[in-house]
Amino acid sequence: MSKDSLLSISNLTVKFGGLTALDDVFLNLESNQVVGLIGPNGAGKTTLFNAICGIVEPTSGKLTLNGKSHDWPATHELTSLGISRTLQGVGLFPDLTVAENVMIGAQKFAKTGLISAGFGRNKLDEEELRGRAQWALERVYSGSLADKRADALSYPDTKRVAIARALVSEPKILMLDEPAGGLGAQDIEWMNGLIRNLRSEMSILIVEHHMDVVMSVCDELYVLNFGEVIASGSAETVRRDPAVIAAYLGTGVA
Amino acid sequence: MLKKHPLITFIFFGVVLYLISNRLDELLVYQGATVGIFVIAIASLILLTGYSGQVSLGHGALMAIGAYAAALLRIHYNAPVWLTFVVAVLAAAVGGALLGLAAARLSGPYLAGTTLALAIGLPSIANQFSIFGGEQGLSFDIGFPPASLGEDFTQYKWYFWISWSAALIAMYWLRHVLNSRYGRSWRAVRSNDVAAELAGIHVGRNKVLAFTISAGLAGLAGALLGMTISLVSPGVYPLLLSFSLATGAVLAGVTTLGGVMIGAVILVAIPEIALAIANRYGGSETIITNLPGLLVSGLLILTVLLSPNGPVEQMHARHAKRAKSGKASHSPVELTLRVGSKTWSTKK
Amino acid sequence: AQAYNPRSNEPGLTATTIKLGITLPMTGIASPGYNKIPGAMKAYFDYVNANGGVNGRKISLVVKDDQYIPATAVARANELILRDRVFALVGTLGTASTKALTSSTQLSRRGIPSLFVNTGWSGFADKKAYPTTFSILPSYQMEAKIMAQFIKDKYAGKKIALLYQDDDFGRDALAGFKTAGLTFDTLIPYASGSQALPATGAGWISKLRTAAPDVTVVFGVSSATTALLGNAFAAGWVGKTQFILGSVGGDATTIAATNRGLVGLLNGAKGLSFAPAPSDSSDEYIKLFQTIYAAAQPTQTFDNNVVAGMSNAFLAVQAIKAAGKNLTRKGLINAIETKGSTFANPFLTPLGYSTTSHVGATGYWFGTYGPTGALTPDGGKYTVYTTDSGTGPVVESTYKRPAMPAKGLPN
Amino acid sequence: MSQFLDMFLIGISAASIYALMAISMVLVWRSTRVVNFAQAGMALLSAYIGYELVSRTGNFWISLPLAMILGAAFSAFIEFFLMRTLLKHSNQGPIAAIAPIIATLGLLGVIRAVIGFIWGHGDVQLEAPLSKVGYKFGDTTLFIGPMGLFVICFVVALLLVVTIVFQKTNIGLALRASAYAPEIAQLSGIRVSGIRTLGWAIAGAAGAAAGILQTVNGTGGLTPESLEFSLLLVFGFIAAVIGGLESLPGAVLGAVILGLVLAFVQIYISGTLVFIVAFILLLAVLILRPQGFLGSKAGRRA
Amino acid sequence: MLKINGLTVSHGAIRALDNVSFSVEKGGLTAVIGSNGAGKTTLMRTLSGLKSADSGSATWNDHNLLHGKPEHHVRQGVSHVSEGKSVVAQLSVEENLDLGALWRRNPAEAKKSKAEVFELFPRLHERREQQADTLSGGERQMLAISRAYMARPQLLLLDEPSLGLAPLVIEQIFQSIRHIVDSMGVTVVLVEQNAMGALRIADFGVVLNLGTIAAWGRASDLIADPAVRTAYLGF
Ligand SMILES: Nc1ncnc2c1ncn2[C@@H]1O[C@H](COP(=O)(O)OP(=O)(O)OP(=O)(O)O)[C@@H](O)[C@H]1O
Ligand SMILES: Nc1ncnc2c1ncn2[C@@H]1O[C@H](COP(=O)(O)OP(=O)(O)OP(=O)(O)O)[C@@H](O)[C@H]1O
Ligand SMILES: [Mg+2]
Ligand SMILES: [Mg+2]
């Protein structure tokens, strides 16, 4: 494990009843590194994300954050640990505006208590949250969407806003679950650019089936199959690994 | 005006109410006081259901908690009136927090069932312990209006003033809370709890908080109701009351506070109207006894059918139709943003 | 506090009319039986009106339905007072409702008489707290004391069980039994409302059957009596104990309304009342009431609720008459306090009204239910016991009821 | 020991009534995702209809199935004219969670008023077709007679039939799919609106049976506000929720647990505690198993 | 034959399809491509009866697709796999499959179809008793396609079947779609974000842009067309 390891996981096992979704999995993420997680459907990628995010409870396994051993976090404390995540199904709040959606991610910066808020003493807070939200939206080039309702967005825009909501808490680790899923060629290109940009400020853990994206942004890849890590290493070595080709890539992907 | 200067608006409301209370006859003043109480109770349900997405069919029971606390305080310690109301809020809030702890784990029909059971279970607790005065309840007497208000100042006007002062303060406060990060978090949790939790919201705590505040407001309404009828007993807070509140919330439109007045007025006025109609058309015993129920229920069904989100939302929706969408700018720009003393930049 | 300043000095009153108001459960769970009371009252008032009224005034009665919910009762009472502007309330029913409406509408501050409320809650005897309220029933405590005396006399040394509603109503009775020094071998409390659950009654019978008391006293509401009898029948336990029913739960009409078949099971049970039996046409009042009611409500059966309603109306008329031509609210209250105990009185017990007491009937007689649910006095004649709500003794009454005024009209 | 047997039989008899109510609530819930608070009102109406039928035909055994058919028809009617429109207008946002609750509460009020108009508040009584006198066992009479036994058998039979229909038949699959995901069911060729109406109809028949059997098994008297029915609503619902709402056997299990616990409390502790105990039982079950005894766990969250 | 003529569809004020006309030969595989928001999903939902049209016509073998509910179209052989998780989450995998074949009322044939599905997606066989909402994103997509297949469609409307699937599986799915078309004579309309992949297996291609048809023709011609390549295929 290198010195500037931000997050590392070892011996992670997750079972659902009789089904072993993850089996003795390890993973290491360093500062300003983009790590890709690939593997066939149902291999356990999202489950791995869920374990890190406290959405499923690991059967066993260890987590290290910033070089220190840490309990598996509860979901709601992730943002304070500097971790943000987007969901495979986007997961915006449809009846909130875009700005409000993003502000939700920034609430850890608010200070006003309930009673004072009730008497209108939260103006500064609100301004700050809104400012941060606007800033995060601008980072994904969606500043003009702020006042739209989230359910009125086009699909690519929902993806942008979801990323903005993750960015607004100023994470050190950004976890993206299929950011390119469902996007057209141009938007995928755009997403590539964004991820590369963000890399200078944070580490990124990414699950993706789009090989173009994976290959162009990831420094390192982990390949899961049936809950086990079958290969890991630089993108180039992994893509030539025959086991990976057989289980996941197929021959069609050049 | 409400958006820009809420305080002024509320003060304006207060003055209007004051003027009104001087013109109305006593019966209307009494009914007006009840309207004020329902405004608070319905608002508390709107907060809970419309914002935090939790259903309660047992709000009557939470009202009772507040009312009993107030009455006990008044009887045993002869506490000043304002204090009894504060304690009513606190006591009901504590009850609501406990209930909320259980409720946070439940959803939809399970929650409805639990609160329903509470509504029938709680009154029987009052029967169990003699301190609560059993079926006969406790009298809750706040005394006569201060002599300084003059000879003509009737008891009901006093009730009216107290109810509406409480209602205005509660609504002012609640409106702000709902527009703050708290209200926003409730709505977020309601529509996607996993996403909300990932964004840093403690979902359980958030739901309990909603239940607590809602219960506190309900407790206030309960104590006020006890005040206007001078009695706190299980019969004052029957299952029917809980159902009426749910009705009122729907008539008001559960998703916005804007319609609470409508909901509250309808709850008070419908039985009156029904009676008037019944009396006009023959006034046979069967009609008089059954028509009010038929009208209230019928109206309720029509409302959910025709304007499920309430009259206010209906109006908003009509306005919103005109709004049109613009395209997002995809061109990367470098940008610096300044808010207060802080600066953010997309350029690093 | 300052004096109430009414717009008209005596609302509800003209030279030729007087308006009274009542609120009671006309619909809802508590309504069966009680909802006949206003009809009965009106029948008597109409009879009086047809015969010239009281002191030249005709009486009208405004009826409101409160569904037995106190908050509703307050709202209805407010309508009666503020919109209908009645002169006085008469016969409101239910302790909680009456209590609530009395304080909320501030009857005493406004000086509005609330005549002959239908509840046995002993609190209304407190003249200071309720200066304008008069009750008509003996208190539950009195009832329990009288029952205790009866049991001690008749069933000395027997095993005795008590089934009671565990709220103020039942607990008032417990206190009365205790004062009278009666102890029970078996106590079965139940929560009010629970008697409507399936199999609750079976639970009582199971407990009773195991305890095997010689005498079973019931101090509950009539739906509890129904549940008890029905399950006693199903468990083959009828006739294994002597039932003694309190006046509230022993209302055969209400029991019949739930299940006609159960009325037969009352046969042989003991009960008590302070009015003459509704079937006793040898009583001059009953005879008169029967005639009046048959003319006014030909399709309704004449039962104890009707007797209660008409007696209530009768006493109201007596009071108004006694208050004189120059009727005022104050005068009405004064008339009951000073002359109330001498009013012509359909009941078999003395009336307790005085400047210190606002309680009406003060005693009970015991009887046995027949197969049709009619209560007939034991030994062929009414033996009336009277007592007070405190620690006073239970004594056999020597009261001689004054003769009925001619044609039952106010004299 | 004999008192224990009493308790058991008393608990089971009560449970059979709760179970009928719980089953009909679960049926509606499973086939349309609506908790029908008007169920008790519909059961009461069916009891009145049963009364009319008995007084016309003079035969309970003809009237019961007839009333069940009418109950089904009425229930289908409600689905067709009320719930369908409701679904169209309020199928999203917070209102979607409470609109059905409110609508069915409103329906309850309407039904009561209608009963009041038609039958008034006079006394209406439905006589039991079978003896309620308990079977004799030695020299003790058991707390169960032919009538009670019939109700229990009826519940068991009903449970079997509806369970088989739901779990094993195509109609059952269609019912479940339409409830959970109407659009996908439509895309699978299922006539969703018809199927939902059918679901209500089945529940209506079960509810009608509940109303009639509760009446004849209880006191036999009927009023528009029969307290029994308000309580039946609440206790039937509690039973259904304890059992898990999703599951028909769960509804019956919930009813049995509720019945036995309440009988135990009444006989061995105090009759005053029933309401509190029912509430505590519900709360305890839901805190330990928020999805009820036989309900299935919520699926994955992300 | 599927004939679409002058089809116009709106969501409130937004016109999602504007005067769209094209037709699909029986037994052909037509790919509909276009950027996000082009109206592809709207087209499919209109054809399956989930969405009502403003004007125009759409027929499948003389059966009017703009009239009647989706369940009736299913009986005419039209089967639609809608975008996203088109499975019933609360049912098991196997129940979802049975659901697809429900209207056929022929247990034997349904069984046969099920066997075929399990052969195509062994993963589903492994998971057949699992509740659908515990499946991974890709597994659900497989299940959705299989459910539609169980209805033995003649016209299969697939909305982004490759969404969230692994490259190997996408390849498999595309092959099986081709297989369904070739050996069973099923007509397929395939909406895809993965435009290149879709056009490679398709006979015909339709390019939608902002609700109107920007280009259409033989799939191979479209791939070769430089304008289409730069605008929609990303190279
Ligand atoms: N709550 C659960 N209960 C039972 N099984 C589950 C649960 N969650 C996940 N699984 C199973 O665990 C396996 C891994 O699922 P996971 O969602 O992690 O896959 P994935 O790698 O993200 O796949 P995809 O690329 O298709 O999204 C799947 O086979 C899934 O069926
Ligand atoms: N339910 C809806 N309400 C309002 N507008 C809608 C709705 N559904 C789609 N739209 C709008 O209609 C247009 C076409 O949408 P459609 O979903 O058909 O596009 P698509 O080509 O399938 O896009 P994608 O590739 O993202 O799936 C878009 O502008 C979209 O915003
Ligand atoms: Mg996944
Ligand atoms: Mg689409």
Side-chain angles (χ1 to χ4, degrees):
Chain A
M1 194 185 303
S2 77
K3 230 176 59 202
D4 48 352
S5 158
L6 262 187
L7 168 112
S8 95
I9 285 168
S10 52
N11 307 107
L12 173 62
T13 299
V14 175
K15 292 187 176 160
F16 297 112
L19 179 90
T20 306
L22 290 178
D23 190 4
D24 204 17
V25 164
F26 62 92
L27 184 129
N28 188 40
L29 181 67
E30 288 169 21
S31 302
N32 304 83
Q33 196 185 26
V34 180
V35 167
L37 206 53
I38 58 174
N41 295 111
K45 304 179 295 295
T46 302
T47 305
L48 176 56
F49 266 35
N50 284 350
I52 298 173
C53 296
I55 294 173
V56 305
E57 202 185 330
T59 315
S60 64
K62 268 183 56 187
L63 175 78
T64 317
L65 275 181
N66 301 317
K68 276 182 257 127
S69 153
H70 197 281
D71 288 340
W72 294 96
T75 312
H76 61 89
E77 40 177 58
L78 284 170
T79 50
S80 36
L81 293 174
I83 303 176
S84 270
R85 169 187 172 181
T86 63
L87 288 166
Q88 191 168 352
V90 184
L92 293 186
F93 311 114
D95 48 358
L96 270 62
T97 65
V98 166
E100 285 176 323
N101 260 280
V102 180
M103 284 162 86
I104 292 284
Q107 306 229 100
K108 70 172 180 186
F109 301 110
K111 291 168 210 79
T112 323
L114 181 65
I115 305 288
S116 334
F119 291 102
R121 295 283 173 71
N122 57 341
K123 290 229 170 64
L124 276 181
D125 254 4
E126 287 289 298
E127 261 173 38
E128 169 163 357
L129 294 193
R130 189 163 282 275
R132 286 178 184 273
Q134 192 63 39
W135 164 80
L137 284 169
E138 300 293 356
R139 293 209 59 176
V140 297
Y141 311 114
S142 305
S144 64
L145 300 178
D147 294 325
K148 280 185 146 189
R149 262 174 67 118
D151 55 4
L153 295 181
S154 71
Y155 183 73
D157 284 340
T158 62
K159 292 237 152 184
R160 279 185 251 277
V161 173
I163 292 177
R165 191 175 65 193
L167 287 179
V168 78
S169 65
E170 301 182 353
K172 288 276 105 203
I173 301 174
L174 178 64
M175 302 168 69
L176 302 172
D177 200 349
E178 303 206 15
L183 292 185
Q186 280 170 353
D187 286 311
I188 290 181
E189 199 43 54
W190 176 90
M191 186 68 75
N192 271 341
L194 178 69
I195 293 172
R196 277 194 293 261
N197 268 341
L198 292 175
R199 180 176 179 228
S200 59
E201 295 153 52
M202 60 194 75
S203 305
I204 298 173
L205 195 55
I206 179 170
V207 168
E208 187 51 76
H209 287 303
H210 255 282
M211 280 305 112
D212 301 346
V213 179
V214 173
M215 293 301 159
S216 71
V217 303
C218 293
D219 302 313
E220 207 167 323
L221 287 181
Y222 287 79
V223 187
L224 286 178
N225 193 21
F226 288 108
E228 290 176 51
V229 180
I230 56 166
S232 66
S234 76
E236 269 315 300
T237 35
V238 165
R239 93 190 286 179
R240 294 189 207 295
D241 189 320
V244 178
I245 293 175
Y248 181 62
L249 295 175
T251 47
V253 180
Chain B
M1 174 153 110
L2 188 64
K3 280 249 163 63
K4 286 246 174 72
H5 306 286
L7 191 58
I8 297 176
T9 314
F10 277 90
I11 291 173
F12 172 77
F13 257 117
V15 172
V16 169
L17 283 166
Y18 166 76
L19 293 175
I20 288 177
S21 76
N22 283 338
R23 310 228 157 221
L24 296 182
D25 76 24
E26 233 193 317
L27 185 59
L28 285 171
V29 169
Y30 161 76
Q31 290 169 340
T34 318
V35 171
I37 295 166
F38 278 132
V39 162
I40 301 175
I42 292 175
S44 80
L45 253 190
I46 288 179
L47 152 71
L48 190 68
T49 306
Y51 280 77
S52 99
Q54 305 181 85
V55 180
S56 167
L57 295 178
H59 249 47
L62 295 170
M63 288 174 73
I65 294 179
Y68 273 101
L72 287 172
L73 197 67
R74 184 82 184 151
I75 291 171
H76 294 292
Y77 300 98
N78 196 23
V81 174
W82 65 267
L83 186 62
T84 63
F85 290 124
V86 172
V87 170
V89 172
L90 296 179
V94 170
L98 292 177
L99 182 64
L101 283 177
R105 303 172 52 113
L106 305 176
S107 61
Y110 293 97
L111 186 53
T114 310
T115 50
L116 183 68
L118 177 76
I120 67 148
L122 205 68
S124 73
I125 292 180
N127 264 333
Q128 205 62 38
F129 302 101
S130 53
I131 181 173
F132 296 127
E135 196 70 33
Q136 322 311 341
L138 305 168
S139 35
F140 181 40
D141 182 5
I142 63 151
F144 300 127
S148 54
L149 290 171
E151 285 276 297
D152 274 351
F153 201 90
T154 65
Q155 190 75 15
Y156 282 140
K157 208 191 263 183
W158 184 223
Y159 291 159
F160 180 93
W161 276 33
I162 294 179
S163 306
W164 273 104
S165 309
L168 285 177
I169 295 171
M171 294 300 293
Y172 178 80
W173 185 80
L174 188 58
R175 206 190 82 86
H176 275 107
V177 168
L178 291 179
N179 285 335
S180 75
R181 67 178 154 130
Y182 295 97
R184 197 158 51 231
S185 310
W186 287 323
R187 283 151 63 210
V189 169
R190 182 191 72 205
S191 60
N192 189 334
D193 57 347
V194 178
E197 199 145 15
L198 280 170
I201 295 175
H202 191 304
V203 170
R205 233 179 265 158
N206 178 283
K207 286 184 165 179
V208 174
L209 182 67
F211 233 108
T212 309
I213 298 176
S214 174
L217 288 171
L220 175 62
L224 290 168
L225 185 62
M227 166 191 81
T228 57
I229 70 172
S230 312
L231 176 83
V232 174
S233 82
V236 177
Y237 307 92
L239 191 56
L240 208 63
L241 175 66
S242 300
F243 287 176
S244 313
L245 291 181
T247 306
V250 169
L251 294 176
V254 269
T255 46
T256 111
L257 269 189
V260 278
M261 263 300 275
I262 302 173
V265 168
I266 292 180
L267 282 194
V268 176
I270 279 277
E272 297 285 313
I273 297 169
L275 211 63
I277 297 178
N279 282 329
R280 162 165 288 187
Y281 296 100
S284 93
E285 196 99 323
T286 345
I287 296 182
I288 290 183
T289 50
N290 293 306
L291 194 68
L294 189 67
L295 278 191
V296 178
S297 310
L299 183 74
L300 184 58
I301 291 179
L302 283 182
T303 311
V304 258
L305 283 186
L306 302 179
S307 165
N309 284 315
V312 176
E313 275 294 280
Q314 186 99 345
M315 263 158 44
H316 281 201
R318 225 166 263 159
H319 278 285
K321 265 196 182 153
R322 294 189 206 135
K324 265 243 151 179
S325 56
K327 256 288 186 230
S329 72
H330 286 195
S331 57
V333 265
E334 274 172 8
L335 197 127
T336 310
L337 198 94
R338 220 180 287 275
V339 174
S341 58
K342 292 201 174 62
T343 312
W344 293 277
S345 170
T346 53
K347 194 168 78 178
K348 278 275 165 169
Chain C
Q2 56 275 292
Y4 178 64
N5 184 11
R7 277 177 235 170
S8 130
N9 267 344
E10 300 295 340
L13 208 59
T14 68
T16 56
T17 63
I18 170 171
K19 201 195 278 185
L20 303 178
I22 181 172
T23 158
L24 81 175
M26 293 301 286
T27 63
I29 47 167
S31 63
Y34 296 143
N35 54 15
K36 288 171 92 170
I37 289 178
M41 292 172 79
K42 275 185 174 161
Y44 180 74
F45 287 143
D46 289 346
Y47 172 74
V48 171
N49 291 344
N51 287 284
V54 202
N55 296 337
R57 291 194 178 91
K58 312 232 151 150
I59 305 172
S60 63
L61 179 69
V62 187
V63 183
K64 303 267 169 174
D65 175 18
D66 62 32
Q67 300 180 317
Y68 213 57
I69 298 171
T72 315
V74 171
R76 297 293 92 86
N78 266 314
E79 287 164 14
L80 287 173
I81 295 163
L82 299 171
R83 183 184 301 142
D84 299 308
R85 306 185 72 72
V86 298
F87 181 73
L89 298 179
V90 61
T92 60
L93 192 142
T95 310
S97 297
T98 304
K99 224 169 122 177
L101 75 86
T102 307
S103 14
S104 175
T105 63
Q106 303 206 295
L107 291 184
S108 60
R109 195 159 154 230
R110 292 184 150 119
I112 302 171
S114 174
L115 305 184
F116 315 135
V117 298
N118 276 305
T119 143
W121 183 58
S122 42
F124 288 121
D126 180 0
K127 208 196 121 178
K128 270 209 212 78
Y130 299 100
T132 65
T133 301
F134 294 86
S135 69
I136 197 167
L137 309 180
S139 73
Y140 298 130
Q141 238 151 314
M142 287 180 183
E143 184 175 348
K145 280 168 72 184
I146 291 171
M147 282 172 103
Q149 189 63 46
F150 178 78
I151 292 165
K152 285 201 289 192
D153 288 352
K154 284 259 164 82
Y155 304 102
K158 304 273 186 177
K159 264 174 100 176
I160 300 170
L162 173 68
L163 173 73
Y164 69 100
Q165 181 155 314
D166 196 10
D167 60 9
D168 283 7
F169 160 55
R171 282 189 225 128
D172 247 12
L174 275 188
F177 287 124
K178 196 166 165 209
T179 319
L182 182 69
T183 53
F184 294 94
D185 302 281
T186 310
L187 276 177
I188 307 179
Y190 70 87
S192 92
S194 67
Q195 70 275 12
L197 288 174
T200 295
W204 303 338
I205 296 293
S206 166
K207 278 185 130 172
L208 286 170
R209 197 163 74 174
T210 314
D214 304 300
V215 176
T216 303
V217 182
V218 182
F219 215 98
V221 294
S222 36
S223 54
T225 314
T226 320
L228 182 75
L229 291 177
N231 283 287
F233 172 68
W237 201 63
V238 173
K240 302 272 169 72
T241 191
Q242 173 63 53
F243 284 120
I244 302 182
L245 307 176
S247 61
V248 175
D251 176 2
T253 325
T254 316
I255 293 173
T258 327
N259 189 330
R260 252 169 273 124
L262 289 178
V263 173
L265 300 175
L266 282 173
N267 193 11
K270 300 280 181 203
L272 70 185
S273 172
F274 55 88
S279 54
D280 180 5
S281 343
S282 69
D283 186 286
E284 49 183 348
Y285 280 98
I286 295 295
K287 204 169 142 202
L288 172 77
F289 288 169
Q290 280 173 340
T291 326
I292 297 173
Y293 195 67
Q297 305 270 3
T299 58
Q300 300 277 11
T301 44
F302 185 85
D303 60 26
N304 50 338
N305 289 309
V306 176
V307 173
M310 296 186 80
S311 305
N312 212 319
F314 184 90
L315 285 179
V317 167
Q318 288 292 306
I320 295 166
K321 176 84 186 172
K325 260 206 145 24
N326 193 2
L327 186 59
T328 61
R329 284 169 164 175
K330 253 209 179 84
L332 180 62
I333 290 166
N334 193 38
I336 305 175
E337 286 184 345
T338 52
K339 303 180 206 155
S341 58
T342 64
F343 283 170
N345 168 18
F347 303 143
L348 299 165
T349 82
L351 292 174
Y353 303 123
S354 72
T355 47
T356 55
S357 166
H358 281 188
V359 179
T362 52
Y364 277 103
W365 53 266
F366 278 87
T368 308
Y369 288 96
T372 60
L375 190 68
T376 45
D378 287 342
K381 68 175 188 42
Y382 302 109
T383 310
V384 176
Y385 296 90
T386 86
T387 186
D388 59 11
S389 302
T391 52
V394 178
V395 294
E396 199 175 318
S397 160
T398 53
Y399 176 64
K400 275 200 73 76
R401 186 170 67 168
M404 187 175 80
K407 290 170 71 191
L409 292 168
N411 57 356
Chain D
M1 180 60 214
S2 98
Q3 215 173 358
F4 186 80
L5 180 68
D6 285 355
M7 182 209 91
F8 182 78
L9 290 175
I10 288 169
I12 292 291
S13 314
S16 62
I17 299 293
Y18 298 145
L20 277 171
M21 204 63 205
I23 285 178
S24 52
M25 294 197 108
V26 169
L27 279 172
V28 170
W29 171 251
R30 288 201 61 173
S31 53
T32 55
R33 303 273 106 183
V34 169
V35 171
N36 182 8
F37 284 98
Q39 199 77 61
M42 288 157 77
L44 179 63
L45 181 65
S46 296
Y48 271 98
I49 289 172
Y51 156 79
E52 288 294 333
L53 289 169
V54 170
S55 54
R56 261 158 231 195
T57 64
N59 185 328
F60 181 86
W61 302 112
I62 297 174
S63 307
L64 179 64
L66 272 182
M68 285 174 72
I69 291 169
L70 289 177
F74 177 68
S75 192
F77 172 88
I78 295 295
E79 201 286 330
F80 195 86
F81 286 101
L82 179 59
M83 302 317 286
R84 224 175 251 200
T85 331
L86 186 72
L87 200 74
K88 230 179 267 162
H89 290 279
S90 45
N91 52 1
Q92 50 190 335
I95 189 71
I98 68 163
I101 295 177
I102 300 296
T104 52
L105 281 178
L107 183 60
L108 182 64
V110 171
I111 291 175
R112 279 194 177 164
V114 167
I115 291 176
F117 275 120
I118 300 178
W119 286 279
H121 294 260
D123 66 325
V124 167
Q125 290 174 24
L126 197 53
E127 298 301 332
L130 293 172
S131 165
K132 283 193 266 186
V133 177
Y135 292 111
K136 278 227 162 46
F137 190 74
D139 51 321
T140 52
T141 311
L142 295 181
F143 270 101
I144 189 155
M147 190 67 235
L149 192 62
F150 172 76
V151 176
I152 292 174
C153 295
F154 189 91
V155 170
V156 173
L158 183 69
L159 174 66
L160 283 179
V161 170
V162 290
T163 306
I164 289 172
V165 166
F166 260 82
Q167 281 334 116
K168 304 275 179 234
T169 68
N170 285 347
I171 293 197
L173 185 57
L175 275 167
R176 284 182 292 154
S178 319
Y180 294 128
E183 190 172 298
I184 300 167
Q186 276 189 311
L187 290 178
S188 304
I190 292 167
R191 295 192 172 93
V192 169
S193 33
I195 282 286
R196 292 168 71 95
T197 311
L198 178 70
W200 272 71
I202 299 175
I212 292 175
L213 293 179
Q214 147 69 10
T215 307
V216 296
N217 204 35
T219 58
L222 286 170
T223 66
E225 295 90 2
S226 284
L227 182 58
E228 289 94 314
F229 283 89
S230 317
L231 288 180
L232 211 57
L233 167 72
V234 177
F235 280 76
F237 189 34
I238 292 178
V241 170
I242 291 177
L245 257 194
E246 294 294 337
S247 150
L248 288 160
V252 175
L253 179 68
V256 170
I257 292 172
L258 186 65
L260 287 179
V261 168
L262 292 190
F264 178 84
V265 167
Q266 274 172 11
I267 291 184
Y268 291 106
I269 305 174
S270 165
T272 5
L273 295 176
V274 278
F275 293 112
I276 302 167
V277 168
F279 177 60
I280 292 174
L281 177 68
L282 174 72
L283 217 55
V285 170
L286 287 181
I287 285 175
L288 298 176
R289 275 186 72 85
Q291 73 279 19
F293 268 109
L294 298 187
S296 51
K297 270 222 186 86
R300 59 187 286 179
R301 302 172 66 208
Chain E
M1 179 155 148
L2 174 68
K3 274 196 210 141
I4 298 167
N5 204 345
L7 191 63
T8 300
V9 184
S10 332
H11 298 282
I14 301 168
R15 179 159 288 193
L17 290 179
D18 194 358
N19 199 12
V20 168
S21 312
F22 67 96
S23 55
V24 173
E25 286 301 329
K26 201 169 167 190
L29 170 53
T30 304
V32 177
I33 61 172
S35 52
N36 296 106
K40 305 182 294 294
T41 298
T42 306
L43 173 66
M44 302 294 259
R45 290 176 66 86
T46 310
L47 294 182
S48 68
L50 287 172
K51 176 95 188 81
S52 55
D54 298 350
S55 61
S57 72
T59 55
W60 166 247
N61 294 343
D62 301 331
H63 173 73
N64 184 356
L65 293 176
L66 301 187
H67 191 261
K69 292 191 178 154
E71 53 259 40
H72 300 127
H73 302 333
V74 174
R75 278 150 224 271
Q76 299 299 322
V78 181
S79 209
H80 177 193
V81 179
S82 55
E83 190 178 16
K85 40 192 172 179
S86 181
V87 298
V88 185
Q90 293 85 348
L91 298 181
S92 73
V93 168
E94 191 148 14
E95 283 170 331
N96 266 286
L97 295 176
D98 292 341
L99 185 66
L102 211 57
W103 73 272
R104 287 163 67 181
R105 300 219 174 84
N106 187 334
E109 276 181 30
K111 216 169 156 190
K112 199 167 134 255
S113 303
K114 206 173 356 181
E116 290 165 13
V117 163
F118 282 151
E119 199 180 333
L120 194 60
F121 301 115
R123 173 62 69 134
L124 291 184
H125 188 252
E126 260 168 53
R127 299 269 183 268
R128 67 184 175 282
E129 286 182 357
Q130 208 165 312
Q131 200 162 300
D133 64 356
T134 64
L135 296 179
S136 81
E139 288 165 346
R140 285 191 208 197
Q141 195 62 40
M142 299 178 197
L143 183 57
I145 298 170
S146 306
R147 181 191 52 73
Y149 179 77
M150 291 290 290
R152 202 191 45 192
Q154 287 154 17
L155 174 63
L156 185 58
L157 306 170
L158 295 172
D159 198 347
E160 300 207 25
S162 75
L163 185 65
L165 291 183
L168 186 64
V169 183
I170 295 180
E171 213 174 298
Q172 270 177 21
I173 287 197
F174 280 177
Q175 275 165 20
S176 18
I177 293 172
R178 193 66 243 180
H179 174 76
I180 292 172
V181 174
D182 291 343
S183 63
M184 295 159 124
V186 176
T187 311
V188 174
V189 179
L190 171 67
V191 161
E192 261 303 334
Q193 246 345 309
N194 181 352
M196 196 59 212
L199 285 178
R200 280 215 182 104
I201 57 161
D203 303 317
F204 304 97
V206 175
V207 181
L208 276 184
N209 185 26
L210 294 174
T212 57
I213 293 186
W216 77 297
R218 298 165 72 84
S220 49
D221 295 349
L222 286 180
I223 295 177
D225 184 336
V228 172
R229 283 178 83 101
T230 45
Y232 300 101
L233 303 181
F235 55 89

